[in-house]
Amino acid sequence: MNTEDIKGFFASREQLDMADYLTLDYYLECVGDIETALAHFCSEQSTAQWKRVDHDEDFRPKYAARVISLTIEGELEALSYPVVHFETGPIHACRVTIAHPHRNFGAKLPNLLTAVCGEGVFFTPGVPVVKLLDIGFPEAYLRAFDGPKFGIDGIRDLLQAYDRPIFFGVVKPNIGLSPANFAEIAYQSWLGGLDIAKDDEMLADVDWSSLIERSRVLGEARARAEKETGEPKIYLANVTDEVDRLLEQHDIAVSNGANALLINALPVGLSAVRMLARHTKVPLIGHFPFIAAFSRMEKYGVHSRVMTKLQRLAGLDSIIMPGFGSRMMTPEEEVKDNIAECLQEFGHIRRSLPVPGGSDSALTLETVYRKVGSVDFGFVPGRGIFGHPMGPRAGAMSIRQAWEAIEQGISLETYAVGRPELEVMVDGINRKK
Amino acid sequence: MNTEDIKGFFASREQLDMADYLTLDYYLECVGDIETALAHFCSEQSTAQWKRVDHDEDFRPKYAARVISLTIEGELEALSYPVVHFETGPIHACRVTIAHPHRNFGAKLPNLLTAVCGEGVFFTPGVPVVKLLDIGFPEAYLRAFDGPKFGIDGIRDLLQAYDRPIFFGVVKPNIGLSPANFAEIAYQSWLGGLDIAKDDEMLADVDWSSLIERSRVLGEARARAEKETGEPKIYLANVTDEVDRLLEQHDIAVSNGANALLINALPVGLSAVRMLARHTKVPLIGHFPFIAAFSRMEKYGVHSRVMTKLQRLAGLDSIIMPGFGSRMMTPEEEVKDNIAECLQEFGHIRRSLPVPGGSDSALTLETVYRKVGSVDFGFVPGRGIFGHPMGPRAGAMSIRQAWEAIEQGISLETYAVGRPELEVMVDGINRKK
C-alpha cells in the first residue's frame, strides 16, 4: 500500500457516523512500519481490494474498517509469543480501536464473529500477535437483539429469592448416576437449601440417563421438594446437543418439569443459543467449555469478556464462567470484568446472572461474595455439596449456613459451633492446614 | 487423591475395549507430581467424583478417562507461557494419550467438544498449559456420522475436472459490489478458466447484496458461462448466517443456481454444519474464521488438525484452511497435516478437498502443488485473479496457463512468452525483485 492507500484506513470518530460502526479494541504486536501494518489490519478485515480494476471507484468510505485510536505501548525485543512470520523491522506493542462498519455483515452472530476474529484479523501481514479485547455496539445494532428473556430479575422472581446470591449445585457424581439416583441426590440438596440443582455440563442426553427420563424423575422430585420446603426450586437440565435437536430437547425437558436449561454456548455455537433463547419458556444458563482455549494467553486470542458480552447478547439469562478459585487459573481482574459484563448497562438488553464457578464450597462463599461486591451472583459448588461427608442435604445446608454467617457478620468458625454441617467443612479445612 | 485413587485413572490399551474409547493426544505442562496431575486431568474431564458419599461403588471402570500412554519430554525451567497457577514443584513437558469413554456423551459434536476441550481439560490443578493435538475415533463412533455427501470425487464429477487441481477464485472487491457487478466479474473469471467463483467468507446475506438477488444473477451468469465454455462451472454462495436460517438460505441459493455453498464452520458451529450437511443438495465448502485464535500457539490451545478432522466428520466436502503463503503464519508441517486430514483413510467417511489458501496467484501455484504432493487440492486466489491488471478473465487465464506450464514441465518465465496474462504476472514479480 502507498501512503494514500494507508490514509483511507484511518479516521477520527468525528468523521464517522458512529451508529454505523462497531468499535473493536485490539492488542496488537506490529512488525515494521506501524501505520502500514494497521492499514493492512483494517483492509484484511473489511475491504481487501476496494476497487475494480480499471474502474474509478473507492469502496472504503462505506465499507472499510478504520483505525480511530492508536496507543503505542512500547517497542519489544521480540514478539510475546513465537509466531512464524516474514516481515522484518522493529516490533511495537499497540492498543488500537477500529471502527468496523456493521453494514458489511448485519446483526448476525456468525457473521459478526467472522468479521471480528476471522481470517482478516488473524492473518494480516505484519501483525502476528493479536488479541481482541472488547467490542462496543451502537444502539442501532443492539436493537436487532432480544437478549435474555428473563435475566436476573426473572430468575429471582421464579425462585422468589431476593437480596441474596442464588445457590446452585452441580449434582455429583456428574457422570454415571441413574436418573433415579440422580433425582434422590438432587432432592436431598433442595431440602438442604439449594435453589437450583443442575446437571453437569458434561451430562446430556445419553442412553444411561436419557433427558426424557431424567427430566421426568427430576420434575417429580422437584415438586416434592417444593411441597416439603414451601419454596420454589429449579431443576437445571443440560440440553446441550446437536443444534437440530435443541428445540425438541427444550420441549421434552420443560414439559417434564425442568424449569431452567443449561447450554454449553461455544460448543453449540452462539447462534444456536440465540435460536434457543427465542424459543425458550424457561431461563437459559450458559456454561463455558472451549473458552479457555482462546482466552488464557494474556496477549493472544480473544478476551473472555468478549464471549461474556456475546453470550448475554445471544440471550443467556445466566452465565457460568471461570471464577476466583485457584483451579480456574484466571486473573481476578478478568473474573471481575466478566461479572461486570453481565451486570452493566447494555442498551435494552437485560442483565444476566453471573456465576463465577470452580471448586467452591461453604468455605469460599464469603470470598466470592466480597470479590463480586453484591448479591447479584450465582454460587455453584459441586463436590463442595455433593462430596460433603454427611451427604448432599448437609452439603447444601452448609452453604446456607455460611450465607447466614455472612449476613449476620459472624465468623464461619463461630457460626459453625452447634451446626455440624458447617462444622465438618470448617474442621476439614483446619485439619488440612 | 491418594495412590489408589490415582491408579484408577491409568490403564493399558489391552485392559480396555478400545471400541468404547476415543483416544485424545495432548501436550501438557504439569506442575508438581506428574501422575497426580494426570489423574486429575482424567478425573476433571470425566468423573470428577466417582462415588456417592456412603456408597460402596466406583464409576471409574465404566466412565473414567484414563492415561494409556505417557512420554515425559523433559523438565522445563518455567511454563512455556505465563499462566496464573498455584501449584508448586518441578514442571514437566509431557505427551499423553487419554482413552476417553464416548458413552459419557455419545456421537454428538457439541458434547464431544465439551469433553475434549472443555472445563475439565483446561482447568485441571497442576496442568496450566494444554494443547489438544489429535483425536482418534473408533469405527463404532464414526459410524454415527455421515461425513461429506459429495467429497472430492463428487466435486470432480460435478465439474468434470480430473487429474488437476480445482481452480477457485474469491471474487474481489469482496465487500461492496452490487450483485450485477459481482456477476459480471464472476462471469469473466469463469470464461478465463476458473471452475469455482466464490463469495468471500465475509460476504453473506446483506441488504446491499441479498443472497436471493446475488444467487439469482450469479446463477444466470453461470449458465451463460457454461454455455460459452462448454464446461460445468460452480458458483459458491456463502450462506453463513444465524443457524435457524441456514436451511432456508440453502434452499434459496440452490434453487437460484448456486451449486455449492460456503459456510464458516466455527462461527456457525460444527453442529450447524452437520445439520446443513444432512440437508444439502450441493457440496459444502468450509472456511476457517476463528481457528487461529486457539491454534496458533505451538503449545497451547487446540491444534488445527483437530478442527480439520471435525469439519470433515461434520460433512464438509471441501475445507479451506490457512495455507503455505507467508501471510498465513502457519508452519509448513501444520498445513501438510491439515491436508493429510482431508485425504487420509477415515472409516467410511469420504475424502474432503483440501484448499490451502492465502495470497495465491499464478506465481504460487507450482509451490503449492509441490508441497501438497498431488492434484487433489483446491487453489483459491483472490486478488491474484481479481486484481490482475488485465482484469478477472485474464487473471483466471494466468492461473490456467501456470498449470499448463507445470503439466508440461516448462518454467513459468518461458511459458509466459506470448501469453500476456501470465507474462504480466511474471513481469510484476520480476519488477519487484
Side-chain angles (χ1 to χ4, degrees):
Chain A
M1 283 201 238
N2 62 36
T3 313
E4 272 311 299
D5 289 344
I6 290 171
K7 270 192 195 163
F9 293 104
F10 286 77
S12 67
R13 277 176 194 267
E14 294 65 36
Q15 291 170 304
L16 305 175
D17 180 349
M18 291 305 293
D20 291 338
Y21 292 85
L22 307 187
T23 51
L24 311 179
D25 293 332
Y26 291 99
Y27 170 84
L28 305 177
E29 295 182 4
C30 298
V31 182
D33 180 64
I34 297 173
E35 295 204 344
T36 303
L38 295 181
H40 279 293
F41 189 71
C42 289
S43 151
E44 294 287 344
Q45 72 179 259
S46 58
T47 174
Q49 179 184 320
W50 53 89
K51 63 184 287 296
R52 285 170 291 170
V53 174
D54 292 333
H55 284 72
D56 183 20
E57 61 191 359
D58 185 352
F59 290 178
R60 287 175 298 176
K62 220 167 155 187
Y63 301 104
R66 282 184 282 181
V67 178
I68 56 171
S69 163
L70 163 63
T71 307
I72 301 169
E73 295 192 338
E75 189 169 342
L76 306 177
E77 292 198 5
L79 294 176
S80 294
Y81 311 99
V83 174
V84 184
H85 68 286
F86 292 84
E87 295 74 24
T88 53
I91 300 171
H92 289 95
C94 302
R95 287 285 297 263
V96 298
T97 303
I98 307 284
H100 191 117
H102 54 74
R103 67 164 59 89
N104 290 9
F105 50 87
K108 305 190 267 200
L109 292 169
N111 308 80
L112 168 66
L113 286 171
T114 300
V116 306
C117 42
E119 176 177 351
V121 167
F122 282 98
F123 296 93
T124 292
V127 192
V129 172
V130 175
K131 187 161 187 174
L132 173 60
L133 299 175
D134 205 355
I135 308 179
F137 297 97
E139 277 286 333
Y141 193 82
L142 283 186
R143 272 198 295 274
F145 291 85
D146 299 325
K149 211 174 247 180
F150 300 88
I152 295 181
D153 296 336
I155 292 172
R156 289 201 178 282
D157 287 347
L158 197 63
L159 287 166
Q160 294 291 301
Y162 305 96
D163 305 319
R164 63 165 176 82
I166 303 298
F167 296 110
F168 293 61
V170 193
V171 174
K172 305 266 175 182
N174 52 330
I175 295 286
L177 280 176
S178 69
N181 289 338
F182 192 102
E184 176 57 26
I185 291 174
Y187 173 70
Q188 293 295 334
S189 71
W190 281 317
L191 295 192
L194 276 201
D195 297 308
I196 302 180
K198 78 177 273 294
D199 289 351
D200 191 84
E201 86 278 6
M202 289 198 289
L203 175 63
D205 183 28
V206 279
D207 53 12
W208 47 268
S209 181
S210 70
L211 185 69
I212 192 166
E213 172 66 6
R214 194 166 73 247
S215 58
R216 191 182 63 73
V217 296
L218 268 291
E220 289 167 8
R222 176 170 70 85
R224 283 189 286 127
E226 289 178 335
K227 199 166 167 195
E228 190 145 336
T229 62
E231 295 165 358
K233 300 291 183 185
I234 286 179
Y235 165 53
L236 176 55
N238 183 4
V239 294
T240 301
D241 206 309
E242 299 289 2
V243 298
D244 54 2
R245 297 192 68 211
L246 288 179
L247 303 188
E248 178 196 349
Q249 295 286 76
H250 164 281
D251 294 349
I252 290 170
V254 171
S255 68
N256 275 354
N259 49 349
L261 299 179
L262 186 76
I263 183 92
N264 298 340
L266 270 290
V268 299
L270 290 167
S271 179
V273 172
R274 189 181 187 191
M275 172 183 76
L276 185 60
R278 285 210 186 95
H279 178 82
T280 193
K281 294 190 170 16
V282 300
L284 292 186
I285 295 171
H287 199 280
F288 59 83
F290 206 79
I291 287 181
F294 56 77
S295 66
R296 182 169 292 164
M297 298 292 104
E298 186 191 351
K299 297 175 177 178
Y300 187 79
V302 179
H303 196 285
S304 58
R305 84 160 68 80
V306 174
M307 286 300 146
T308 300
K309 187 172 275 185
L310 294 179
Q311 288 179 84
R312 184 175 168 196
L313 192 62
L316 290 178
D317 299 286
S318 174
I319 298 171
I320 303 177
M321 57 183 67
F324 300 104
S326 66
R327 177 168 70 84
M328 308 319 282
M329 298 179 269
T330 307
E332 184 169 324
E333 278 314 306
E334 183 172 340
V335 182
K336 288 182 173 173
D337 280 350
N338 280 305
I339 291 168
E341 282 298 341
C342 292
L343 300 176
Q344 72 202 8
E345 186 77 17
F346 193 32
H348 69 289
I349 307 288
R350 289 190 179 84
R351 297 184 310 153
S352 287
L353 181 73
V355 187
S359 303
D360 283 307
S361 72
L363 305 172
T364 66
L365 177 57
E366 179 156 8
T367 307
V368 173
Y369 168 58
R370 300 292 170 212
K371 289 183 177 178
V372 172
S374 91
V375 297
D376 279 332
F377 71 99
F379 188 65
V380 62
R383 284 160 279 184
I385 292 172
F386 299 97
H388 190 286
M390 295 164 65
R393 180 170 178 169
M397 288 173 73
S398 73
I399 305 294
R400 298 304 293 259
Q401 290 163 350
W403 181 248
E404 289 159 16
I406 294 165
E407 275 189 309
Q408 296 172 32
I410 301 172
S411 79
L412 269 197
E413 284 74 8
T414 306
Y415 200 72
V417 176
R419 293 185 174 85
E421 300 82 7
L422 185 56
E423 198 164 27
V424 73
M425 294 298 293
V426 173
D427 286 355
I429 195 74
N430 287 341
R431 265 203 312 278
K432 276 194 198 164
K433 275 178 188 165
Chain B
M1 285 201 235
N2 62 36
T3 312
E4 273 310 299
D5 289 345
I6 290 172
K7 270 192 194 161
F9 292 104
F10 286 78
S12 66
R13 275 175 195 267
E14 293 67 36
Q15 290 171 305
L16 305 175
D17 180 350
M18 291 305 293
D20 290 339
Y21 292 86
L22 307 185
T23 51
L24 310 178
D25 293 332
Y26 290 99
Y27 170 83
L28 305 177
E29 295 183 4
C30 298
V31 183
D33 180 65
I34 296 172
E35 294 203 345
T36 303
L38 294 181
H40 278 294
F41 188 71
C42 288
S43 152
E44 294 288 344
Q45 73 179 260
S46 58
T47 174
Q49 180 185 320
W50 54 89
K51 63 185 287 296
R52 286 170 291 170
V53 174
D54 292 334
H55 285 73
D56 183 18
E57 60 191 1
D58 186 352
F59 290 179
R60 287 175 298 177
K62 221 168 153 185
Y63 300 105
R66 284 186 278 183
V67 178
I68 56 171
S69 163
L70 164 63
T71 307
I72 301 169
E73 295 191 338
E75 190 168 340
L76 306 176
E77 291 197 7
L79 294 176
S80 294
Y81 311 100
V83 175
V84 184
H85 69 286
F86 292 85
E87 295 74 23
T88 53
I91 299 171
H92 288 96
C94 303
R95 287 285 296 263
V96 297
T97 304
I98 308 284
H100 191 117
H102 54 75
R103 66 164 60 87
N104 289 9
F105 50 87
K108 305 192 267 200
L109 292 169
N111 307 79
L112 168 67
L113 286 171
T114 300
V116 307
C117 42
E119 176 178 350
V121 168
F122 281 98
F123 297 94
T124 292
V127 192
V129 172
V130 176
K131 187 161 187 174
L132 173 61
L133 299 175
D134 204 356
I135 308 180
F137 297 97
E139 278 285 333
Y141 193 83
L142 283 186
R143 272 197 295 273
F145 292 84
D146 299 325
K149 211 175 247 180
F150 299 88
I152 296 181
D153 297 335
I155 292 172
R156 288 201 179 281
D157 287 347
L158 197 64
L159 288 165
Q160 294 291 303
Y162 306 95
D163 306 318
R164 64 165 176 82
I166 303 299
F167 297 109
F168 293 61
V170 193
V171 174
K172 306 267 175 183
N174 53 329
I175 295 287
L177 280 176
S178 70
N181 289 338
F182 192 102
E184 176 57 25
I185 290 173
Y187 173 70
Q188 292 296 334
S189 71
W190 282 317
L191 294 192
L194 275 201
D195 297 307
I196 302 180
K198 77 179 274 292
D199 288 352
D200 192 83
E201 85 280 4
M202 289 198 290
L203 175 63
D205 183 28
V206 281
D207 55 11
W208 46 268
S209 183
S210 69
L211 186 68
I212 192 165
E213 173 66 6
R214 195 167 72 247
S215 57
R216 191 182 64 73
V217 295
L218 268 290
E220 289 168 8
R222 176 170 71 83
R224 281 188 287 124
E226 288 178 336
K227 198 167 167 194
E228 191 145 339
T229 61
E231 294 166 358
K233 300 291 183 185
I234 286 178
Y235 165 53
L236 176 55
N238 184 3
V239 293
T240 300
D241 206 308
E242 298 289 2
V243 299
D244 54 2
R245 295 192 70 211
L246 288 180
L247 303 189
E248 179 195 350
Q249 295 287 78
H250 164 282
D251 294 349
I252 290 171
V254 171
S255 69
N256 274 357
N259 48 348
L261 299 179
L262 187 76
I263 182 92
N264 298 339
L266 271 290
V268 299
L270 290 168
S271 179
V273 172
R274 190 181 186 190
M275 173 184 75
L276 186 60
R278 284 212 187 93
H279 178 82
T280 194
K281 293 191 168 20
V282 300
L284 293 186
I285 295 170
H287 199 280
F288 59 83
F290 206 78
I291 286 181
F294 55 78
S295 67
R296 182 169 293 167
M297 298 291 105
E298 185 191 351
K299 298 175 177 179
Y300 186 79
V302 179
H303 196 285
S304 59
R305 84 160 69 79
V306 173
M307 286 300 145
T308 301
K309 187 172 275 185
L310 294 179
Q311 288 179 86
R312 184 174 168 196
L313 192 62
L316 291 177
D317 299 287
S318 174
I319 298 170
I320 303 177
M321 58 183 67
F324 300 103
S326 66
R327 178 168 69 84
M328 309 318 283
M329 298 179 267
T330 307
E332 185 171 323
E333 279 312 306
E334 184 172 340
V335 182
K336 288 182 174 174
D337 280 350
N338 281 305
I339 291 167
E341 282 298 342
C342 292
L343 300 176
Q344 70 200 8
E345 185 77 18
F346 193 32
H348 69 288
I349 307 289
R350 288 188 180 85
R351 297 184 310 153
S352 286
L353 182 74
V355 187
S359 302
D360 282 306
S361 73
L363 304 173
T364 66
L365 178 57
E366 179 157 8
T367 306
V368 173
Y369 168 57
R370 301 292 171 212
K371 288 183 178 178
V372 172
S374 90
V375 296
D376 279 332
F377 71 99
F379 188 65
V380 63
R383 283 159 279 183
I385 292 172
F386 299 97
H388 191 286
M390 296 163 66
R393 180 172 180 168
M397 287 175 72
S398 73
I399 305 295
R400 297 304 293 259
Q401 290 163 349
W403 181 248
E404 289 160 15
I406 293 165
E407 275 188 309
Q408 296 172 30
I410 300 171
S411 78
L412 269 197
E413 285 74 8
T414 306
Y415 201 73
V417 176
R419 293 184 174 86
E421 301 83 7
L422 185 58
E423 198 165 26
V424 73
M425 295 298 293
V426 172
D427 286 355
I429 195 75
N430 287 341
R431 264 202 311 279
K432 277 192 196 163
K433 275 179 190 167

